[in-house]
Amino acid sequence: MLPPVANKKMKAWIRSRHLICSGNFFIFETLDYSTIERFEQCVESLGGTLISVEPLKRVWIGTHRRILLYQAKASLHTPHHALKQYWYQKGSFKSRFDESA
């Protein structure tokens, strides 16, 4: 994946509150594992690494279905990466899947 495309996808995830920043790490939460694979491609394209992927909890979708929520943790090696500045402007401290959000 080319870096401009990866940067655009990461910004979209920041705006939709799927991607938050915590310290030096970017934390991505989603219900679809294939999206985690796309996130990994974006991070690697921008010069970072995916640190871990963990199943976090089960979330209710509708009244009869529960789906597994995945959380991926990644690090971009540059200390003042442009995505972090973008997150300061447009992002949130809480993910869209936080109960208190």
Side-chain angles (χ1 to χ4, degrees):
M1 179 177 301
L2 295 173
V5 175
N7 196 22
K8 187 176 178 180
K9 282 187 182 220
M10 298 278 274
K11 286 181 178 181
W13 287 326
I14 288 172
R15 287 191 308 271
S16 68
R17 292 187 359 197
H18 281 90
L19 182 62
I20 60 172
C21 189
S22 177
N24 293 326
F25 302 106
F26 283 96
I27 299 173
F28 182 70
E29 292 184 351
T30 184
L31 300 172
D32 185 19
Y33 197 83
S34 64
T35 310
I36 294 284
E37 293 167 351
R38 283 193 298 273
F39 174 68
E40 180 180 16
Q41 290 174 354
C42 289
V43 167
E44 288 174 352
S45 172
L46 295 173
T49 57
L50 186 68
I51 297 171
S52 66
V53 177
E54 300 174 3
L56 198 58
K57 61 183 176 182
R58 292 198 176 269
V59 208
W60 285 101
I61 301 296
T63 56
H64 300 291
R65 228 172 120 187
R66 291 179 75 183
I67 296 180
L68 197 57
L69 175 67
Y70 295 100
Q71 184 181 64
K73 191 176 191 181
S75 172
L76 290 176
H77 301 298
T78 55
H80 300 289
H81 200 276
L83 278 176
K84 194 162 190 176
Q85 297 301 322
Y86 187 82
W87 176 78
Y88 284 133
Q89 295 171 356
K90 309 268 182 178
S92 175
F93 287 100
K94 295 186 186 250
S95 157
R96 74 180 307 130
F97 299 104
D98 288 338
E99 287 88 18
S100 58

